[in-house]
Amino acid sequence: MVKYTKFSAIALALGLALYSYSGDTAAAKYEVVTSTRAMVARDTLANIDFSGLSNAAPNANTEMYTPDKMNSIIENSRLAAVVRDQDRCQFTADIEDRARIVKSPVFMYAWGQMLLAGICVREDKELGLGYIRHSADDGYAPAMMQMSVFYERGTGMGMSLNMSEQYMHTAAALGSKTARLNWADMLIRGFGSPAMYEEAYGWLYHCDFDDDYSKAKKKYLEEQLKKFLPPNVVARNEAFAPDF
């Protein structure tokens, strides 16, 4: 199990002002999600160097997770498979510290999911939901997508289709390909309004996916959206080269 020696040593080694954390688990106002803090968090955490901060076990067979590695694990839905099954929970303390102390959006989301599912820790759904909410409010797309699902289903909170729609749309607007796929699916299922179809079609048309499932779903959703769009609008979006 990886542990830091002192919390003060972490802050000194990082040379980074820690993000403030209100501790309030109530839903943040939606405007927070789209603030510049999201971009600052994403750029800053990618440059944090955690080398030399831990006392890893001599027989550790893998390195601590970088933000990029953890993001890849999350994007591929392999959190339990990697953290629990492959690495046998040896970096649980590291994930918790970067979620609780550093306030890394990537690790807040990972820690929140671990608490929700009881991965390497005792299950605590309320606390886990709070971490995922704060990760979403710091602009982390997987967390925003998860909040969208929670609000649509009423999981751990009151059901709010409006909040579900807003979280997913914002994740899509920030450039998440998965969110753009999910947002188009939500529109086809009756969310949003017809005025949003052109934007969603343009976003989706210019997304490339590697896996067969996403490719097939993209093709299906494009065909469904085309039914609501005039041919000239479809042609305009297909000819436009987006700057993202």
Side-chain angles (χ1 to χ4, degrees):
M1 185 72 69
V2 173
K3 294 183 180 180
Y4 296 141
T5 55
K6 294 182 180 179
F7 290 169
S8 58
I10 297 174
L12 179 61
L14 289 174
L16 175 68
L18 303 181
Y19 294 113
S20 61
Y21 180 71
S22 65
D24 183 7
T25 58
K29 290 189 176 181
Y30 184 67
E31 287 73 11
V32 175
V33 181
T34 60
S35 71
T36 55
R37 189 173 67 149
M39 303 306 158
V40 173
R42 184 162 57 189
D43 293 342
T44 302
L45 268 298
N47 296 320
I48 291 180
D49 180 12
F50 283 88
S51 61
L53 291 182
S54 65
N55 296 318
N59 297 324
N61 58 10
T62 185
E63 297 177 356
M64 285 193 299
Y65 312 114
T66 64
D68 283 345
K69 182 175 181 180
M70 179 55 74
N71 182 64
S72 178
I73 292 170
I74 290 167
E75 289 280 1
N76 289 287
S77 303
R78 301 192 68 238
L79 188 63
V82 173
V83 174
R84 181 190 62 203
D85 303 335
Q86 175 183 304
D87 297 337
R88 300 184 180 181
C89 304
Q90 63 180 316
F91 298 138
T92 300
D94 173 59
I95 295 171
E96 179 184 7
D97 286 346
R98 284 197 260 186
R100 187 168 57 87
I101 303 170
V102 182
K103 307 297 186 290
S104 160
V106 179
F107 286 93
M108 281 196 290
Y109 177 78
W111 184 239
Q113 289 287 17
M114 289 170 68
L115 288 166
L116 280 178
I119 300 172
C120 299
V121 294
R122 179 177 297 178
E123 182 181 296
D124 189 330
K125 294 187 180 298
E126 183 177 358
L127 184 59
L129 180 60
Y131 274 102
I132 293 173
R133 190 195 307 276
H134 281 286
S135 176
D137 290 344
D138 273 340
Y140 187 51
M144 286 189 279
M145 289 187 285
Q146 185 68 79
M147 289 299 297
S148 176
V149 173
F150 285 162
Y151 272 114
E152 181 177 356
R153 298 176 180 175
T155 304
M157 60 189 73
M159 182 182 294
S160 172
L161 300 185
N162 180 58
M163 287 298 294
S164 176
E165 175 185 306
Q166 290 182 20
Y167 269 112
M168 190 66 74
H169 181 262
T170 300
L174 288 175
S176 168
K177 293 192 299 181
T178 304
R180 290 180 174 187
L181 195 68
N182 292 341
W183 174 238
D185 181 79
M186 290 180 73
L187 287 176
I188 296 303
R189 291 192 290 116
F191 285 80
S193 68
M196 295 176 167
Y197 291 169
E198 179 179 355
E199 176 189 59
Y201 182 81
W203 281 346
L204 193 58
Y205 181 81
H206 294 285
C207 283
D208 293 322
F209 296 94
D210 297 325
D211 62 291
D212 292 338
Y213 172 78
S214 296
K215 289 178 180 178
K217 187 172 183 179
K218 172 189 173 180
K219 183 177 180 180
Y220 168 76
L221 292 171
E222 284 176 344
E223 293 302 317
Q224 294 301 308
L225 288 171
K226 279 184 180 180
K227 296 178 181 180
F228 301 97
L229 297 171
N232 65 308
V233 171
V234 173
R236 180 172 69 236
N237 280 276
E238 292 180 355
F240 174 67
D243 184 21
F244 55 73

